[in-house]
């Protein structure tokens, strides 16, 4: 009883006037919540913190996850594009997975590595937080399928084919060079092998051409682990347009909505583009390592505060996917610990999933539909990938 009271008090303090009902809290606590993109591993690589306990800063720790009902966060094994074509990308991937295994070793009563849908369900029944793993940027594969098998054995269950630059697998939505005009020959081969192993193909970050090629090649449903909709951010190719979302629906896949303000509203996206353009000018004038360049971002934000998105902004993205392709193809890919201080009001950390659930209730979503968004859609896709691999 005490823990229920604690949850209620703490959540109320973060809702900015949103009244979160007992029903929303109950839905959060009684169901698996899958979030397919949380950047804890790289955060710990930058600065070690014991997330088995409450931490200062960051968006994730055990107490806040329990408070919000989060129990199946995919830990992002994020590899910066600067390490592409370098053995250091593979070393970093192994190091970040080591961190997650150390986390479980430190607190086996709180966390467990999850390598299958069955693991997630079993660990949920024991009150543990599952830690499935996804690799953000396929750079560590190093054009060698043996590395794919290595990382599968270590627990990787999705691979984001590229990140902010074109790599040996795929063109990136951020990279104008388009060296492969979609996927590389190896990238096409990789998807076939990922299907055979049961590793989900993640099309977040890739170019539009790479997306269409990936869903044409993949024999299993793909995911967008942390993407939002171009409908609300015109010209932002990192997000998905309506035709892509329809194609994803036909593929049986799921788009996991990114919470970052710059992903979900036109105003915040324009703010981000302006900051990036001015940062580039400063770097060209004074050099990337200059004091002016290093201090620019903070100074810009002080003069031009980010126009934060809101909970309703995120709900609009979910609504739009449902209107286009139905309730079976949308979920949560928050990008907590990955988008800095750009998170929307009322969704500032992993304690706030009840706010999202309350917003869905307020918009008329049924309990069954909400559970599909929280876990059902992603677990279905993951299971379909497992089932295909078992046959092949």
């Amino acid at each position: 009883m005490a823990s229920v009271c604690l949850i209620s008090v703490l959540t109320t303090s973060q809702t900015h006037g949103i009244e979160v009902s007992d029903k929303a809290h109950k839905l959060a606590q009684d169901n698996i919540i899958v979030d397919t993109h949380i950047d804890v591993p790289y955060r710990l690589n930058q600065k070690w913190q014991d997330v088995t306990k409450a931490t200062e800063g960051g968006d994730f720790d055990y107490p806040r996850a329990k408070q919000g009902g989060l129990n199946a966060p995919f830990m992002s094994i994020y590899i910066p594009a600067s390490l592409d074509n370098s053995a250091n990308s593979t070393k970093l991937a192994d190091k970040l997975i080591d961190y997650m295994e150390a986390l479980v070793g430190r607190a086996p009563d709180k966390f467990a590595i999850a390598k299958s849908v069955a693991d997630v369900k079993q660990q949920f029944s024991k009150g543990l937080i599952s830690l499935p793993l996804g690799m953000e940027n396929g750079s560590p594969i190093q054009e060698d399928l043996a590395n794919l098998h290595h990382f599968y054995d270590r627990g990787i269950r999705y691979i984001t084919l590229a990140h902010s630059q074109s790599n040996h697998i795929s063109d990136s939505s951020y990279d104008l060079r388009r060296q492969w005009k979609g996927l590389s020959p190896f990238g096409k081969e990789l998807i076939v092998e990922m299907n055979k192993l049961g590793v989900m193909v993640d099309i977040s970050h890739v170019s539009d051409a790479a997306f269409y090629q990936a869903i044409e090649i993949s024999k299993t449903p793909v995911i967008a682990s942390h993407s939002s909709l171009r409908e609300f951010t015109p010209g932002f190719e990192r997000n998905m347009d309506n035709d892509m979302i329809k194609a994803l629906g036909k593929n049986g896949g799921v788009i996991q909505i990114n919470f970052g303000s710059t992903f979900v509203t036109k105003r915040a996206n324009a703010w981000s583009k302006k900051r990036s353009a001015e940062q580039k000018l400063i770097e060209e004038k004074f050099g990337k390592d200059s004091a002016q360049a290093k201090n620019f971002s903070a100074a810009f934000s002080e003069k031009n505060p980010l126009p934060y998105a809101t909970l309703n902004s995120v709900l609009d993205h979910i609504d739009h996917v449902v209107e286009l392709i139905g309730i079976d193809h949308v979920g949560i890919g928050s990008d907590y610990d990955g988008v800095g201080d750009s998170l929307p009001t009322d969704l500032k950390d992993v304690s706030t999933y009840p706010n999202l659930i309350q917003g869905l209730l307020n918009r008329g979503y049924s309990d069954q539909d909400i559970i599909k968004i929280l876990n059902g859609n992603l677990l279905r896709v993951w299971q379909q990938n497992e089932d295909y691999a078992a046959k092949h």
Side-chain angles (χ1 to χ4, degrees):
M1 185 64 70
S3 62
V4 173
C5 293
L6 176 64
I7 288 168
S8 177
V9 170
L10 287 175
T11 305
T12 302
S13 70
Q14 297 186 18
T15 57
H16 301 283
I18 292 175
E19 291 188 19
V20 181
S21 64
D22 290 342
K23 180 176 182 178
H25 283 303
K26 184 170 173 54
L27 280 167
Q29 296 298 324
D30 289 355
N31 292 284
I32 296 170
I33 297 181
V34 176
D35 187 323
T36 44
H37 201 86
I38 296 187
D39 277 293
V40 169
Y42 197 75
R43 167 188 160 195
L44 300 186
N45 188 58
Q46 299 293 90
K47 180 183 178 183
W48 174 258
Q49 291 181 301
D50 184 0
V51 295
T52 67
K53 304 172 183 176
T55 60
E56 287 189 19
D59 307 327
F60 174 96
D61 56 41
Y62 180 79
R64 284 182 286 174
K66 291 297 282 186
Q67 180 186 332
L70 177 65
N71 39 49
F74 272 77
M75 295 284 107
S76 173
I77 306 304
Y78 162 62
I79 309 301
S82 59
L83 296 182
D84 288 352
N85 304 313
S86 159
N88 289 329
S89 68
T90 306
K91 290 178 182 176
L92 179 58
D94 275 319
K95 182 181 180 183
L96 298 184
I97 296 171
D98 289 345
Y99 284 160
M100 295 301 96
E101 291 178 349
L103 193 60
V104 172
R106 180 183 289 259
D109 58 325
K110 297 177 180 176
F111 296 110
I113 300 292
K115 296 185 177 183
S116 66
V117 174
D119 283 352
V120 171
K121 292 179 177 178
Q122 184 182 40
Q123 290 159 6
F124 173 70
S125 71
K126 294 178 179 178
L128 297 170
I129 292 180
S130 294
L131 300 179
L133 305 177
M135 179 182 286
E136 184 179 21
N137 187 358
S139 174
I141 302 303
Q142 300 286 357
E143 222 164 336
D144 186 347
L145 293 179
N147 285 327
L148 171 65
H149 285 257
H150 165 74
F151 285 113
Y152 174 82
D153 290 342
R154 295 213 66 188
I156 294 296
R157 289 301 179 267
Y158 76 69
I159 296 176
T160 317
L161 302 178
H163 191 250
S164 58
Q165 294 178 20
S166 174
N167 61 13
H168 71 280
I169 297 167
S170 173
D171 289 335
S172 164
S173 62
Y174 288 119
D175 192 334
L176 299 179
R177 292 174 295 175
R178 301 294 196 261
Q179 65 167 321
W180 304 115
K181 295 182 173 55
L183 298 173
S184 73
F186 176 77
K188 295 172 183 178
E189 183 183 354
L190 178 67
I191 288 175
V192 172
E193 194 68 15
M194 287 170 68
N195 284 173
K196 290 178 181 178
L197 278 180
V199 179
M200 291 179 282
V201 176
D202 177 20
I203 54 74
S204 288
H205 279 286
V206 304
S207 68
D208 289 11
F211 162 77
Y212 283 109
Q213 290 168 23
I215 61 170
E216 183 179 349
I217 293 166
S218 181
K219 302 296 184 185
T220 61
V222 307
I223 67 169
S225 69
H226 59 306
S227 294
S228 299
L229 310 186
R230 219 175 290 175
E231 177 82 8
F232 301 94
T233 55
F236 185 44
E237 192 175 336
R238 170 65 178 81
N239 279 345
M240 298 179 69
D241 69 21
N242 289 348
D243 287 340
M244 295 168 77
I245 293 162
K246 290 174 183 176
L248 183 77
K250 288 180 181 176
N251 163 267
V254 60
I255 177 172
Q256 306 284 103
I257 300 300
N258 189 317
F259 291 176
S261 291
T262 61
F263 286 79
V264 294
T265 70
K266 186 177 180 179
R267 280 187 69 207
N269 191 260
W271 176 93
S272 178
K273 287 178 179 175
K274 182 180 179 184
R275 183 183 64 174
S276 296
E278 294 191 16
Q279 173 92 39
K280 186 177 180 181
L281 292 174
I282 293 293
E283 290 175 355
E284 289 173 352
K285 184 175 182 179
F286 297 103
K288 283 188 176 183
D289 296 326
S290 65
Q292 292 92 331
K294 289 178 180 177
N295 296 328
F296 171 79
S297 185
F300 179 88
S301 297
E302 189 174 340
K303 289 181 182 178
N304 310 276
L306 169 64
Y308 287 107
T310 65
L311 167 61
N312 280 323
S313 311
V314 174
L315 294 170
D316 288 345
H317 284 250
I318 294 173
D319 281 352
H320 192 70
V321 176
V322 173
E323 288 164 8
L324 277 178
I325 57 174
I327 191 64
D328 296 323
H329 304 282
V330 65
I332 300 167
S334 64
D335 216 347
Y336 281 134
D337 277 329
V339 289
D341 184 36
S342 75
L343 290 158
T345 55
D346 302 314
L347 292 173
K348 289 295 187 185
D349 63 32
V350 295
S351 71
T352 60
Y353 297 99
N355 295 0
L356 181 74
I357 293 169
Q358 187 62 53
L360 292 167
L361 288 169
N362 291 347
R363 292 195 178 199
Y365 285 83
S366 68
D367 292 10
Q368 182 182 11
D369 286 348
I370 290 171
I371 292 167
K372 285 185 176 183
I373 294 168
L374 297 182
N375 71 69
N377 295 335
L378 190 283
L379 293 182
R380 168 187 58 79
V381 169
W382 189 358
Q383 187 67 59
Q384 286 176 290
N385 276 264
E386 288 185 0
D387 292 347
Y388 180 89
K391 294 176 182 177
H392 295 83

